[in-house]
Structures are given as C-alpha cells and as structure tokens.
Amino acid sequence: MRAASRREAMETSSHYHCSASTITRGQGRGIVAAAAYRAGQRITDLRTGLRHDYTRKHGVLHSEIVAPAGAPPWAYDRAALWNQAERAEDASTRHATAKTGREFRLAFAHQLTAEERIVCAREFAQYLVDTYGVVVDFSIHAPDKDGDQRNFHAHVLTSTRVMTDAGFGGKVRVLDSPKTSGKHIEAIRAKWAEIENAAYVRAGIDLHVDHRSYERRGEEKDATVHLGPKASGLERHGHGSARGDRNRAAREANAEREALKAERARLGEQMKAEEAARQRRAEAKAERAAMRTHDPAIILDAITEQRSTFTEGELRARLGRTISDQAERDRIVRAVMRRPELVGLAEARGGKIVRYTTMKVLRHEAAGLAAAASLTRDRRHGVSARTRTAVMERGQFGSISPEQYAAYTSATGPEGLAVVAGEAGTGKSYTMAAIRQAYEAEGNRVVGLSFTNKVIQDLKRDGFGEVRTITGALQDLAKGRAGWNGRTVLMVDEAAMLSTRDMVNLLTHAHEARAKVVLVGDDKQLASAFQRGGLFGAIRAQDQTPVSELSEVRRIKDAAPDAVQQRGAFNAMHEGRFREALGTFDALGSIHWCGTREDAREALAMQYAKDVAERPGHRRFAFTHSNADALAVNQALRAVHRQRGELGVDHLLRSNEGLFAFATGDRIQFTGSAYHKTAREAGLANGVVGSIRTIEGARVTVELDGKKGEPGRMLSFAVGDDAQAGQFNAFRHGYAGTVYKGQGATVDDAYRLHSGTERAATSYVGATRHAENLHLFVSREALPANTSWNAQQAGSRRWTSASGSGRSLPTRRGRKPTRPVGSVTTSPPMSVMCSSNGRRRKPTPPSLTNSPARWAAQRRTAPPRSSYPLPCHPHRPRRRMALRRATAR
C-alpha cells in the first residue's frame, strides 16, 4: 500500500531545489548562530559573548556532522567547531567582512521516508567533504506547521576552510572566485540531482529531477523562485508577496503554454495519421504502377522495397497480381534477372543461388551497419558499479538469473550500442527493467521505443516513463519537436521487427546525438511485415557489437507439464530443430490431427471448452495465421462462454470488419490505434486485449489486461467511424487473433491453428506463447500427414536481410561465387565462417570487389537447418515419415 501510494503521488509531481549562499560578518550574520538555529541547540558565540538558544525550536528531525578522515575530535562538537571557524577568520585581513560559512538548502520529495532522507543528506555531505576537504553540518527539518506539509528540507552548513589534522587550514578559493565558483556550484547542484534520482529509483518512486534550468533543457517555461521565510509567512497569512505574485504569473503562463502545446500535438498527430494513411495508399499504388510499367528496373526496385531478398518464384507471384499474360511475365522475369544491379545469394561456395538482392539494398544496409559500428566505438555511456549494485539490491530483481545479470552488465557498459538477443520467453522485459533503472539512477533520460503500439503499452506497464513508437519518434526528430543528446538512452523492444529504413534512421540519429541505443529482440521471430528488414540480425553478427544472449526459458512455469522438456522445445525451435521440439509436444498429446480446416477449428473449440471448465482462472488465447481464421475461431470460442452463461445481453456494434454482437464479459482486441495520441497512450492501440465491463449505447468500457494478479487499466470509447471526433471502430472479439499481433504476449494456455503455409518465424512465435499448455491443431487438408512441415515452408532457412544473415554469399547468377557486381563494401561480412574444427574464425570483411580466392575462403561448413518439421503421424511408422527438403515448384 505504501509503495503504491508513493508511486501514484509522484507521477504528477516534479521538484528540484538546491540553492547556495554564504554567511558573512558583513551581513551581520554569524556561523555560530546559524548552526544553533539549524540544529535546534543552545550555543554561545565566544567571539561576541552572545548565547543563541533554539532548544525550543520544533521540527528538527536529524542533525549530523561529517568531517574529513583525521580531523581533530572537536570537529564533531558543534559548539567547538563553529567557534573555531569564527576564530580562524579573526586573523584575516578582512576579518570584519569575512565569510565564516556556506549554506546549501536542499528539498526532498515528501514520499521519501525519514531514513531515506538521512541517507541522501549524508551522501551529499560526504561528497562535499571528499571534494573540498571541508567540515559539513547538516540538519533535516520537517515542514512548518502552517506551511506546505510536503516541504521536508535540509540545511547544509560547510566551513569555508579545509579541515586538517591540526585544525582549519586554507580557504577553499574555488568556491569564492568568480572564475571558478560558477562551474563548481553547477557540479554540486548536478550531484544533488544525481543523489535524488538514485534515491527515487531505490524507493520505487516514478520521478526524475533535473538541476538544469528550463532554458538549458530547451523547454519554453517560466521558472518559479524560492519564496523564502518572509514571503512564505506573508502567503500563509493571506497577504500577497512579490515573489508569490511572480510564481503565480509563471504558473499561469506555463499552463497557457501547455494548452497550446497540447493543441499543437493534437494537430500534429492528426497530420501524422493522415500522412501515414496517404503513404500506405501511395505505396500500394506505386507497386501496382511499377508492375504495369513492365520496366525491369522499376519492378526490381518495387519488389525489394518490402523485402531485402526474393526468389524468382516470389517475383513471378508479384507480377501475377497485375499482369495476366504468362508470356509477358516470363519476358519480364528474364529481363529482371539480367539487370546489372542484381546480386545472387548462395549459402556456400559453388552452391545454388537461392535468393536475390540488389546493390541498392546492400548499400542501405551497409549504412546502418556503419552507424552501428560508430555507436559501438563511443565509450561514454557506462553505468558505475555502485549504481549497478544498488539496482540489484532491490527486491524487484531478487530472482535475476546469471545470464540476465550478464546481459544487464553488458548493456550498461560504456559502448554506445548494446544488443540483448533473447529467445522467446527468456525474460527480456525483466532484464530491460533493470537496465532502465540503472540508467535512470544516474540521471539519464531513458526512452522506450518499439514498432507497435501494443509493445509500447507493455513498456509503459513495465515502468517506462517515456515511450514512443519508432515512427513517431523519428517524425518528431525530423520536425524538431524532440531531441536526443549524450544523456539519452534509447531502449528498443522487439527490435527485430524494425524495417531497415527505421533501423538505419534510428542508428544514424542516435550516432549524431551521441545517444546510447539498447536493441532487445530475437531475429528468429517475426520481422517487419511491410518493409524490408532483418538488420537486427546483421548488427548482432558484428564482432565489435556487445551482444548478450538469453536462452534460459522462464516463461514456462515449473508447474507446467514436463516443464523441463517444454523449455528445451523452446530452445530447439529457436535453433531450427522443429522436429525435435514438436516431438516433445506430440509426446504431451498437444498435437491434434484433423481432417479438414473446419474440423480443426471445431477440435480447437472443444479443447478450449474443456480447459475453461477445468481451469477457469487461466489466461488463454488462440493464435491463427490469417484474419479470416481469427474471425471464425473467435465466434466458436465466444459460443463457449455464452453457453457457460458468462456473457451479458448482446449489443450489436459495428466495427470496421462488420456488425457483430458484443456483451458484458466479452473479450475484445483492438485491431487498430486511436486517432488521438491521448487515447493511444491510454491503451486504445493495435493488438491490445481486454474484457468488456459495460456497454451503454455506443459507449464501451474495457478493462485492459495487466500483469497477472494486478488490476488492469479502464478505458472507454464511443463506437463509430468518425476518428477525428474521438470515435473508434477498429476492434474484434478477443478470444483469438493473428500470431503477428500476439508477438510478445504470454498466456497460460495457447491454442494454435496451423495453416500449412507458414514460415519458420510464424511457427516459432505461435508455439512459444504459453506458460503451461500448448494445443496445436493441424488439418490434413492444409498439411497432408505424409508431408513434412519444413516442406510446407518453402525454404531451408530464413533470410531476413541481404548482408546480415550470417550465412549468405553474393554470387553471379548461374556461376560459382565470384566478383559481384558493384564496388560497395559491407560490414560485417556476409558470411561468418567456421574452421574445420567448428571454432569461429576471425571473419574477413568482404568488399563486394574482393577476389574469388577470398570469397572461396568464406564458407559455412554446417548445412542449413531445416525448418519446423512435424513429428510423424501417430498412426504411421516413423520410418515412413522421413524428412524431405523443400524443392522448388
């Protein structure tokens, strides 16, 4: 309760105060009187004979003296200390106006405990002692009884002279000189901000303070001023003050600016959405137009716009969408294959060309790899060992595994780029939380980025204070609405889903701003669906990139059936050994053969109904390959809950997919994102799932899924197609959905309807969403029982990029690998080779104009792995189910 209230309260608060002043005789002030008042004690000033008695002062919570090692014992006696400080100035040539002490006033967040405030003040005092050699006397005060009851603060008194083992020595001139005092005070203020931020992280308070002015931060705001005791007293008694009037005017001006800023943001989001829609229409139109031109050069550009590589069969299929004449298609294919910019790709020297790319694609990927290499060489982003340890000592990370800790240490290293490559279900989000908190503890601005709004919602739920989609962040940079710098840390979740264009732009902007980038993902899972991608795997393959790998599956619960074997199956699928993995699931009875696709859907619904009856508290979801299958499965599973009496009265709601019945208790999934940014940030985003709580006319209230055991956030929307007016119609029932929308999700029970036409990445993601049970439904109609699964996936392995597959060799079509066309150099090498004993050799960076001898040295000795074969049919001998490699059709 206490921790939750502290987090909630601090989400909307922001403060920072660290002011410095001097205590001088010329002002009629004395350090003895100041010390007595701050500590609430009675001390006699031996120089003047005055006795300062503040023992009746209330609100002094703690007082403490911190002195350098070796200081005399009297340095810890408050009366003796400050009388000695006065006496040391009597010999000064300017003794009448001498500075006898300095004071720093510090503000605390009121949510900090008394012990946490003492720790912060003590750390600040020790910093002053270590840096300047002075004695520090600090006192922590409670808020005044008539003032703001959140105003916990500290008064920190320091001597103006260094303390030696013989007593006070020389003056600390760097804090007196106009030439040096400014930068030292700035450093002291920065240190207090660092101490505060570290304390908030330790305490789990969602707050970050910045010692810089609004102007230096680039924010258009009017600063407020500290009221002080006199102005505070006037304000408390209802009398105005000049400083109070100034603060009120500043707040009004800032409120007006925020309103204008929100309006500009709304208009910007509106323009952004319209521009994105126009761009999608333009891209589709451009592809159709390119095919109709019958121009081989234009067609080649169009086909590589969405994929880095392609096969001759894929080219023919794309042409078939717009060109019906078979002879003309054949002519265009032959012309495209003769283009000088075409580069063939083979898996081994002398091997058959399996895919093609272009010099343009290779140049684009090379630019991203060069930016990644430059970021890696920037070694200014390390987190101190002390901060790393402090983050790990929190209870939140008590279960961190050795490999997660290694990833945490690597990602918080000094390099400007780090990669966390985690297999499905290995706790990447948990590791990201530790990395984020470590950088935030040292005062960095951490921004969570991803390709989809659903992952953005997950990042926000996991504690990221600032999140953006990659598209939105890059557009903000291009239009000057945001900026990154050397204190910015960009953490990209599901980084393997980024297109090459977005990845190159991200890395280029980060390199220019000297920001740090942490890429988190799995290149064996789904990549970009709309533009060519796969650069994550190429970046990971670079030798200089700090890469951490997570392979210990933590998603599968210990209570799951054969948990150890299921975890091994996850690993096997990641490595391409799908037959072994599915053998495990087959032994568990998780694979269900059916006659037709309709039979498979019916079997799925029957299994779902059985599981709901046995384990009603489990989270469950059905994953399909197509939206059409998702629609049919949704209706079947909804009928299960209707028969159980778990749904309310039906209301007909018109979504963008048609008119459907929804009721209280129904599961709902959003298939698009809201028009307005505020609604998207609230959770109205593509892929988000929840449960309907109320339906009142056209207004639907939904409880979004949160972490298990925690209540979800509530949101409501009006059903309609007027997006600009705030209406929303991109939704469907949320019992089933596509694998693409489910990437990153975790459920207790997963149901998988196999289509028979899936690639390895889709199969891998769809079979690794469960924490306990997986049920896989396959029809002989879609996948004959005597056909191996890998044969249905048309290819022995996955190609996601032209230069980063780690296995590819550019060749001239129809010949042995030789000097490719063009003169572009790519880094890292397109082929990471192994010596005969299987140990990795130092790769040779190939220029695309390398000699044939060098290309011959780059070969992969291991054969390509097959992808996702089914185990044998339970009623057929295994020897009759020999695995066959896919052949070209």
Side-chain angles (χ1 to χ4, degrees):
M1 176 69 73
R2 173 177 173 270
S5 65
R6 290 165 69 188
R7 285 195 298 271
E8 180 181 0
M10 289 305 294
E11 282 175 355
T12 57
S13 67
S14 177
H15 77 282
Y16 173 84
H17 183 76
C18 175
S19 61
S21 61
T22 58
I23 298 172
T24 67
R25 291 175 179 176
Q27 298 172 341
R29 302 177 65 194
I31 189 64
V32 174
Y37 177 80
R38 272 52 170 181
Q41 293 184 359
R42 180 173 58 244
I43 303 177
T44 300
D45 188 337
L46 300 180
R47 188 178 68 89
T48 63
L50 296 176
R51 186 175 70 173
H52 305 282
D53 188 353
Y54 295 102
T55 54
R56 299 180 65 183
K57 174 178 172 55
H58 297 286
V60 180
L61 303 178
H62 180 82
S63 294
E64 184 177 328
I65 294 175
V66 182
W74 54 260
Y76 297 93
D77 183 303
R78 187 164 285 106
L81 170 66
W82 296 117
N83 274 296
Q84 286 288 347
E86 288 282 3
R87 186 176 298 112
E89 301 304 326
D90 288 340
S92 171
T93 56
R94 298 181 180 178
H95 60 87
T97 58
K99 295 177 183 177
T100 57
R102 288 188 180 84
E103 181 180 20
F104 295 92
R105 289 183 292 275
L106 312 174
F108 300 101
H110 68 279
Q111 286 80 3
L112 290 174
T113 64
E115 182 60 32
E116 289 165 346
R117 289 192 290 266
I118 293 172
V119 170
C120 289
R122 187 178 291 147
E123 185 175 352
F124 183 74
Q126 191 63 53
Y127 166 77
L128 295 176
V129 170
D130 295 340
T131 305
Y132 301 106
V134 294
V135 181
V136 179
D137 181 5
F138 70 88
S139 297
I140 299 175
H141 288 187
D144 294 333
K145 63 178 181 179
D146 297 324
D148 188 340
Q149 294 306 298
R150 300 171 300 176
N151 184 26
F152 290 91
H153 57 282
H155 296 269
V156 181
L157 297 177
T158 75
S159 60
T160 59
R161 295 177 178 272
V162 298
M163 174 61 72
T164 68
D165 54 359
F168 283 113
K171 283 275 194 177
V172 183
R173 296 297 184 188
V174 292
L175 294 176
D176 293 331
S177 171
K179 294 182 180 180
T180 58
S181 61
K183 68 177 183 179
H184 281 273
I185 295 298
E186 177 73 6
I188 291 171
R189 286 171 48 80
K191 184 63 179 180
W192 175 240
E194 177 186 328
I195 292 171
E196 277 196 282
N197 288 325
Y200 301 148
V201 171
R202 289 193 299 269
I205 299 174
D206 189 10
L207 175 67
H208 176 78
V209 296
D210 196 324
H211 70 285
R212 298 172 299 169
S213 65
Y214 289 135
E215 181 179 1
R216 290 182 56 198
R217 293 183 225 171
E219 299 181 15
E220 295 183 3
K221 289 184 178 181
D222 290 348
T224 56
V225 296
H226 183 63
L227 289 178
K230 293 183 179 179
S232 296
L234 290 172
E235 295 288 334
R236 283 198 301 270
H237 291 89
H239 304 294
S241 65
R243 292 189 174 188
D245 293 341
R246 175 179 171 179
N247 287 348
R248 281 184 284 274
R251 293 189 184 99
E252 291 177 4
N254 291 338
E256 291 177 2
R257 287 194 184 94
E258 287 298 319
L260 291 173
K261 182 179 177 181
E263 180 63 16
R264 286 197 301 268
R266 186 188 69 79
L267 294 175
E269 291 296 328
Q270 177 178 339
M271 295 173 63
K272 188 190 309 179
E274 293 173 352
E275 178 62 27
R278 281 196 297 268
Q279 184 177 352
R280 287 193 296 271
R281 291 193 297 268
E283 288 174 354
K285 183 178 179 180
E287 180 179 338
R288 293 193 298 269
M291 299 301 170
R292 293 192 184 103
T293 64
H294 296 214
D295 186 322
I298 296 176
I299 291 172
L300 189 56
D301 279 344
I303 198 170
T304 54
E305 183 64 27
Q306 291 188 352
R307 288 190 179 181
S308 300
T309 66
F310 64 95
T311 65
E312 185 174 328
E314 290 168 351
L315 172 61
R316 290 181 181 277
R318 298 284 282 274
L319 289 170
R321 298 175 186 175
T322 53
I323 301 174
S324 58
D325 186 353
Q326 178 68 44
E328 179 62 13
R329 287 203 303 270
D330 292 341
R331 185 194 68 79
I332 294 173
V333 169
R334 289 193 298 270
V336 169
M337 291 301 171
R338 289 195 298 267
R339 293 296 303 171
E341 65 267 33
L342 190 69
V343 178
L345 301 174
E347 292 187 346
R349 179 181 180 274
K352 180 182 177 181
I353 294 176
V354 293
R355 300 191 75 83
Y356 299 91
T357 189
T358 66
M359 299 303 302
K360 178 181 177 181
V361 172
L362 291 173
R363 290 188 183 97
H364 195 195
E365 293 184 353
L369 296 175
S374 298
L375 280 170
T376 303
R377 290 192 294 269
D378 182 5
R379 301 178 60 83
R380 298 174 302 170
H381 301 276
V383 173
S384 68
R386 180 178 182 181
T387 301
R388 286 176 183 162
T389 302
V391 171
M392 286 296 103
E393 287 177 347
R394 299 171 196 158
Q396 179 182 357
F397 301 109
S399 61
I400 194 166
S401 69
E403 67 175 9
Q404 286 176 324
Y405 181 78
Y408 163 70
T409 304
S410 175
T412 53
E415 298 85 0
L417 174 67
V419 173
V420 178
E423 300 180 18
T426 53
K428 295 186 289 292
S429 299
Y430 185 71
T431 308
M432 287 182 70
I435 298 168
R436 171 182 60 82
Q437 292 187 28
Y439 274 108
E440 287 179 340
E442 296 204 341
N444 293 280
R445 172 194 174 199
V446 181
V447 183
L449 301 173
S450 190
F451 176 70
T452 67
N453 276 295
K454 179 182 181 300
V455 178
I456 289 299
Q457 293 298 316
D458 294 339
L459 290 175
K460 184 182 295 185
R461 185 187 64 192
D462 291 340
F464 278 81
E466 184 177 354
V467 293
R468 292 289 279 141
T469 61
I470 289 288
T471 302
L474 292 176
Q475 288 180 353
D476 288 345
L477 288 173
K479 296 181 179 180
R481 293 195 295 258
W484 300 337
N485 56 36
R487 300 287 286 176
T488 304
V489 179
L490 308 169
M491 298 190 65
V492 187
D493 196 10
E494 299 293 353
M497 297 184 75
L498 295 192
S499 67
T500 300
R501 181 174 62 186
D502 286 344
M503 183 70 83
V504 172
N505 288 339
L506 169 72
L507 297 178
T508 301
H509 283 295
H511 172 57
E512 293 172 351
R514 298 185 175 181
K516 169 139 189 178
V517 179
V518 180
L519 301 176
V520 182
D522 182 4
D523 56 347
K524 300 297 178 64
Q525 297 189 43
L526 295 169
S528 173
F530 309 106
Q531 296 176 346
R532 65 172 180 261
L535 202 54
F536 175 83
I539 293 168
R540 175 186 175 184
Q542 294 192 108
D543 284 349
Q544 64 268 39
T545 305
V547 179
S548 306
E549 297 188 355
L550 303 178
S551 60
E552 181 184 343
V553 177
R554 301 169 71 86
R555 176 172 291 159
I556 296 294
K557 299 177 181 177
D558 292 336
D562 289 333
V564 175
Q565 287 76 13
Q566 289 204 61
R567 290 170 185 146
F570 276 40
N571 296 139
M573 285 187 285
H574 183 270
E575 296 172 2
R577 296 180 282 113
F578 285 93
R579 189 178 187 86
E580 174 187 329
L582 291 174
T584 298
F585 294 129
D586 192 31
L588 289 171
S590 299
I591 299 180
H592 309 267
W593 282 94
C594 307
T596 64
R597 299 174 68 90
E598 289 73 18
D599 292 340
R601 288 195 288 265
E602 289 179 7
L604 190 156
M606 292 176 61
Q607 183 67 48
Y608 182 92
K610 176 184 176 183
D611 293 345
V612 169
E614 293 177 355
R615 300 181 297 275
H618 274 204
R619 286 188 176 183
R620 45 181 54 88
F621 196 82
F623 297 93
T624 68
H625 183 57
S626 67
N627 284 307
D629 279 338
L631 178 62
V633 174
N634 263 320
Q635 295 305 311
L637 302 189
R638 183 177 189 267
V640 172
H641 291 276
R642 171 60 71 191
Q643 292 173 1
R644 290 175 55 83
E646 296 172 350
L647 305 182
V649 178
D650 280 345
H651 298 258
L652 291 179
L653 301 177
R654 184 171 296 279
S655 73
N656 57 2
E657 297 179 349
L659 190 66
F660 295 95
F662 287 84
T664 300
D666 252 327
R667 297 286 288 164
I668 187 170
Q669 182 181 45
F670 304 139
T671 58
S673 297
Y675 183 85
H676 297 293
K677 180 180 178 182
T678 52
R680 291 198 301 273
E681 290 179 342
L684 210 56
N686 192 3
V688 174
V689 182
S691 299
I692 296 178
R693 293 302 176 226
T694 61
I695 301 178
E696 299 175 353
R699 180 157 292 278
V700 180
T701 300
V702 178
E703 181 181 1
L704 304 181
D705 288 353
K707 292 184 177 180
K708 193 166 186 180
E710 298 180 6
R713 288 178 295 147
M714 305 291 289
L715 65 80
S716 63
F717 62 91
V719 178
D721 56 5
D722 190 351
Q724 294 189 28
Q727 295 179 345
F728 186 72
N729 66 354
F731 57 88
R732 63 161 64 125
H733 291 108
Y735 304 97
T738 62
V739 173
Y740 189 84
K741 281 186 170 60
Q743 179 155 317
T746 300
V747 295
D748 295 317
D749 302 329
Y751 306 85
R752 182 73 176 87
L753 183 65
H754 194 270
S755 69
T757 59
E758 301 171 4
R759 295 179 178 271
T762 306
S763 297
Y764 174 44
V765 172
T768 54
R769 301 301 96 198
H770 63 287
E772 292 193 25
N773 302 289
L774 169 70
H775 292 281
L776 178 61
F777 299 85
V778 191
S779 68
R780 297 185 184 91
E781 178 184 73
L783 185 69
N786 62 349
T787 303
S788 60
W789 201 314
N790 65 310
Q792 289 288 325
Q793 294 184 352
S796 59
R797 65 170 199 69
R798 182 176 175 223
W799 296 71
T800 56
S801 71
S803 59
S805 65
R807 307 173 180 85
S808 58
L809 268 174
T811 71
R812 295 291 297 275
R813 185 174 185 270
R815 302 181 184 179
K816 293 183 179 181
T818 183
R819 180 177 302 175
V821 179
S823 59
V824 177
T825 301
T826 59
S827 176
M830 296 181 187
S831 181
V832 178
M833 296 304 126
C834 298
S835 60
S836 59
N837 61 6
R839 298 173 65 182
R840 182 168 171 168
R841 295 199 315 235
K842 183 177 181 181
T844 305
S847 162
L848 290 187
T849 56
N850 279 345
S851 65
R854 178 165 295 184
W855 284 112
Q858 300 179 36
R859 54 181 303 184
R860 182 177 178 85
T861 58
R865 298 178 177 126
S866 59
S867 52
Y868 217 161
L870 269 176
C872 68
H873 190 277
H875 303 299
R876 295 172 184 255
R878 186 173 297 273
R879 54 188 170 83
R880 296 182 59 186
M881 292 298 297
L883 186 65
R884 296 202 301 266
R885 188 175 302 280
T887 58
R889 297 182 177 180

